[in-house]
Amino acid sequence: MKKMSELDGKIDALDRAVVEAAEKDARARLLMTQPGVRPITSMAYVLTIGEVSRFPRGKQVASYLGVIPREYSSGGHQRLGSISKQRNTFCACCWWRRRKAVRCDPGFRNEYLHRCRSKPKGVAKVAARKLAIRLYWMLRTNTAYPEVVRIESNSRVPLVGAS
């Protein structure tokens, strides 16, 4: 029991250090405006992605993070499965925390529940891809959560300024 309490104390100290680092980092604070994204997930995303300008599209970020579906294709017929196992294990741990974002964000919750009705749960978990891409666009455009949702839902709003 004593060893467990010592470990809990060390873990709490590390958690506090991550929260402090996230509060100091402007990009991590921006990502925490997304409901369900907490300091650990935001810092993991910021540190893993690095400079967002190195990715021209959100699709490449999803591929880099390993939140793309497994594909089975034959004879012109494409079938998508669950998230492939080829990914960064640290990021995978953080992305499984995205369930909190699914519960907190009404748009993600509705899409996830809709997919769960029509497809296996493994396919429904691919919703992490959408969250990864949204966080990428939040960093790329330096836009907080409420505004990025408005931009996503309006096709007349340009995503990236003249750059």
Side-chain angles (χ1 to χ4, degrees):
M1 271 313 211
K2 184 177 179 181
K3 289 184 181 185
M4 289 296 284
S5 62
E6 289 175 15
L7 287 176
D8 285 341
K10 290 179 182 180
I11 290 171
D12 289 340
L14 291 172
D15 282 344
R16 283 191 302 273
V18 170
V19 170
E20 288 174 16
E23 289 173 355
K24 291 177 184 175
D25 190 314
R27 296 182 305 163
R29 281 195 317 267
L30 178 69
L31 294 182
M32 286 190 290
T33 61
Q34 165 70 40
V37 174
R38 299 266 174 93
I40 293 174
T41 305
S42 67
M43 284 302 292
Y45 190 87
V46 165
L47 295 174
T48 302
I49 293 299
E51 186 59 41
V52 293
S53 62
R54 68 188 179 126
F55 297 103
R57 291 186 286 284
K59 183 189 282 190
Q60 293 171 334
V61 171
S63 178
Y64 181 76
L65 292 173
V67 288
I68 54 172
R70 182 172 295 178
E71 182 177 345
Y72 306 97
S73 299
S74 176
H77 183 58
Q78 181 185 34
R79 293 182 303 268
L80 299 177
S82 61
I83 293 176
S84 69
K85 300 285 185 192
Q86 299 173 354
R87 61 182 175 257
N88 180 328
T89 53
F90 176 70
C91 286
C93 175
C94 291
W95 285 115
W96 291 123
R97 294 171 182 248
R98 64 101 178 105
R99 287 184 230 146
K100 181 80 173 168
V102 168
R103 286 193 299 260
C104 296
D105 187 320
F108 284 141
R109 183 177 56 242
N110 291 339
E111 182 178 344
Y112 181 78
L113 292 175
H114 174 74
R115 287 179 192 248
C116 284
R117 279 188 229 117
S118 61
K119 303 207 185 239
K121 297 269 189 216
V123 175
K125 290 177 184 174
V126 178
R129 177 179 177 273
K130 188 169 184 177
L131 177 60
I133 292 172
R134 179 182 285 174
L135 295 179
Y136 162 75
W137 280 108
M138 287 172 72
L139 288 176
R140 175 105 186 239
T141 60
N142 200 22
T143 307
Y145 167 74
E147 182 66 17
V148 90
V149 171
R150 187 186 71 78
I151 291 171
E152 282 178 354
S153 62
N154 188 349
S155 62
R156 294 180 184 216
V157 178
L159 288 177
V160 180
S163 57

